[in-house]
Amino acid sequence: VRMTNAWSGGPAVARQFQVAFDAVYEAQAGRTGEALRGLTLALEQEAIEPLWTDLIVQRARIQMSIDRPQQAAEDWGRVVQARPRWAYGYEMRAWSWNSCASRAVLDDEEFRRLMDLVIEDLSQALELASDRPLALKRRARALERRAWKEWPLPRDARPFLERAIEDLDEALKADPRDADALAERGYTRAQLGKAIERHREDPTPAWDAALADYGAVLRIDPGNSYALYARGRLLAALGRFDEAIRDLESCLAAGPGNEIAEQELASARALRDVPWGRDLVLADHTNDRYDYQGGRAAYERILAQVTPEQERIPELRDSLASAHYDLACTYSLLAVGKDGPQASPRPVTEVEAAEWRDRAFERLRSAVALGWHSVDHALKDRDLVPLHDDPRWQGAIEELKKAAAEGK
């Protein structure tokens, strides 16, 4: 019908429509470069203005298929200007912004800006959506992602996680047995527990609610491997190793070959079998509450019990490396008279400061030796800033980079 209408508009209209038609054909044949050139040429012509939006949609889809999300987002922006009541256009622009936010080179500020655009578009799509529960779940996922880009969970994550839970609560009103929404809410509540912990409040209700959600999923689908894995991981983080091991074993029985679940299971078994295992995970929670003095005392007591043989157990090395790293951060802050990242500094003598810095570098070396190789994290970690003007800092970073490159 459109070809007939184009020919009735005269030869100029027909020629330009043929350019667009050929471009779409090239896209279907997988020749995306030719398709983009043809669509761009066609879109420059006023003669096919009635078909403009359809062609923009086609070009935006091609942009996404060849990993050009910024250009796709710009095209979807043109689409929603032309069709402001089309929920799909907002959803696709949100998807494009989300892909932009997935680029590893982004700094935190740019990541948050892009995720705010994702949430804004999904909120607009939600107002127009015919399938409201699905739109709510999509926005909830974006809110979860906005809450944090990487560990550690930032202190401003809490309101985004709470909004995500509200969206999932509403979605579940339509179908209380929606296993995907229940699992998503369980994950979000587990993250909320971490955020609450960082506000020095009791995270137990959030974690209990997360466990309840995973339990609800498993009553609907007893073999749900994700719910088994997520519940097992949370139980292990709470020091409930026997329960965690049962869930992780069931997860692997339901879906053999899950390497991450295998690693979690091996870690839970190893921590269960050493006398200080539960104390170590509880010390992690003390540290996460910014109780650095409490965490320091616990870590020092636990690490004094660790034998050389236990340090060589592969399944324990990550946990021990993290403990040494956290101690390095605490000692670094103590070198400038701070008992935690939010604490006001108190006077320290040069001798005290030097001693704390010595201990910080010692713990940092121990962390690296045990496998702690996150160079970017160390460079960004504000807790380690007091060490940056120490002549040993650059050498420590070079040592960390070398270990990371060698994969030790």
Side-chain angles (χ1 to χ4, degrees):
V1 170
R2 286 177 177 167
M3 283 294 287
T4 301
N5 291 340
W7 280 108
S8 67
V13 176
R15 279 195 300 272
Q16 295 310 320
F17 186 87
Q18 188 64 51
V19 171
F21 184 85
D22 290 344
V24 173
Y25 175 80
E26 296 285 3
Q28 292 171 341
R31 294 186 286 271
T32 53
E34 292 85 345
L36 283 176
R37 283 191 289 273
L39 285 167
T40 300
L41 177 63
L43 285 163
E44 291 171 352
Q45 311 302 316
E46 293 184 4
I48 58 165
E49 183 63 27
L51 303 172
W52 184 87
T53 304
D54 290 337
L55 297 177
I56 285 286
V57 168
Q58 185 68 29
R59 188 171 71 176
R61 287 172 173 159
I62 294 172
Q63 302 278 25
M64 284 300 293
S65 74
I66 59 174
D67 194 27
R68 297 176 66 182
Q70 178 68 41
Q71 292 85 346
E74 292 167 2
D75 274 348
W76 287 115
R78 298 181 181 99
V79 170
V80 297
Q81 281 186 323
R83 297 181 183 174
R85 303 293 300 170
W86 194 28
Y88 180 76
Y90 292 102
E91 290 171 358
M92 293 306 295
R93 185 168 66 173
W95 183 28
S96 302
W97 290 133
N98 191 66
S99 296
C100 290
S102 299
R103 300 301 171 93
V105 296
L106 291 180
D107 59 29
D108 291 347
E109 184 177 348
E110 179 64 7
F111 172 81
R112 288 191 289 268
R113 184 188 73 83
L114 289 168
M115 289 310 301
D116 286 341
L117 291 174
V118 173
I119 293 165
E120 181 181 341
D121 274 344
L122 290 176
S123 297
Q124 186 64 42
L126 180 59
E127 294 182 11
L128 304 169
S130 56
D131 188 345
R132 187 170 175 81
L134 178 60
L136 285 162
K137 288 189 284 186
R138 285 174 174 160
R139 188 172 69 177
R141 293 189 189 102
L143 286 162
E144 291 160 13
R145 190 162 186 234
R146 170 62 176 80
W148 64 312
K149 180 182 178 184
E150 59 186 25
W151 185 255
L153 193 70
R155 288 177 63 84
D156 65 353
R158 185 172 178 175
F160 295 99
L161 295 169
E162 289 172 338
R163 284 177 59 194
I165 291 170
E166 289 171 3
D167 279 355
L168 292 165
D169 286 344
E170 187 175 345
L172 283 161
K173 289 177 183 176
D175 181 6
R177 291 178 58 81
D178 183 339
D180 289 340
L182 285 166
E184 193 79 33
R185 190 174 66 180
Y187 169 80
T188 310
R189 283 171 161 170
Q191 301 309 309
L192 178 61
K194 293 179 182 178
I196 290 172
E197 191 171 52
R198 288 192 165 267
H199 284 265
R200 298 189 176 187
E201 298 175 27
D202 182 11
T204 305
W207 286 332
D208 286 346
L211 293 172
D213 276 339
Y214 294 140
V217 173
L218 293 168
R219 284 192 293 275
I220 297 166
D221 177 10
N224 189 297
S225 59
Y226 172 76
L228 288 165
Y229 165 76
R231 188 172 70 175
R233 191 170 186 269
L234 178 54
L235 288 166
L238 297 175
R240 294 162 60 174
F241 298 126
D242 289 334
E243 297 169 84
I245 289 167
R246 283 197 294 271
D247 274 349
L248 292 167
E249 287 175 341
S250 298
C251 169
L252 289 166
N258 184 331
E259 292 184 5
I260 297 176
E262 289 173 352
Q263 292 169 6
E264 292 286 346
L265 176 58
S267 176
R269 286 172 172 165
L271 287 167
R272 179 197 59 184
D273 293 340
V274 291
W276 42 262
R278 188 170 187 275
D279 289 340
L280 182 59
V281 298
L282 296 181
D284 291 340
H285 293 298
T286 301
N287 202 68
D288 288 343
R289 288 195 297 273
Y290 293 121
D291 180 4
Y292 279 23
Q293 288 305 307
R296 175 171 73 91
Y299 283 140
E300 288 176 341
R301 185 182 67 255
I302 293 161
L303 292 174
Q305 302 174 47
V306 178
T307 67
E309 291 76 15
Q310 290 168 342
E311 282 191 341
R312 288 193 288 271
I313 297 174
E315 294 79 12
L316 294 176
R317 288 172 65 86
D318 284 349
S319 298
L320 292 172
S322 294
H324 281 285
Y325 179 82
D326 287 341
L327 269 180
C329 292
T330 300
Y331 294 156
S332 169
L333 292 171
L334 287 170
V336 290
K338 296 183 71 173
D339 293 330
Q342 310 300 323
S344 300
R346 53 178 173 73
V348 291
T349 67
E350 290 186 12
V351 173
E352 289 174 327
E355 182 181 345
W356 287 124
R357 283 196 294 270
D358 289 345
R359 296 173 73 175
F361 280 110
E362 180 184 348
R363 292 296 181 178
L364 194 55
R365 283 192 295 271
S366 296
V368 173
L370 285 163
W372 202 95
H373 296 158
S374 183
V375 178
D376 289 342
H377 185 99
L379 290 171
K380 292 182 190 177
D381 198 328
R382 283 175 287 184
D383 292 352
L384 296 179
V385 168
L387 303 181
H388 287 192
D389 60 357
D390 190 293
R392 292 168 290 183
W393 173 251
Q394 195 56 45
I397 292 300
E398 291 303 319
E399 181 182 341
L400 178 54
K401 288 179 178 177
K402 181 180 177 182
E406 293 174 354
K408 285 185 180 177

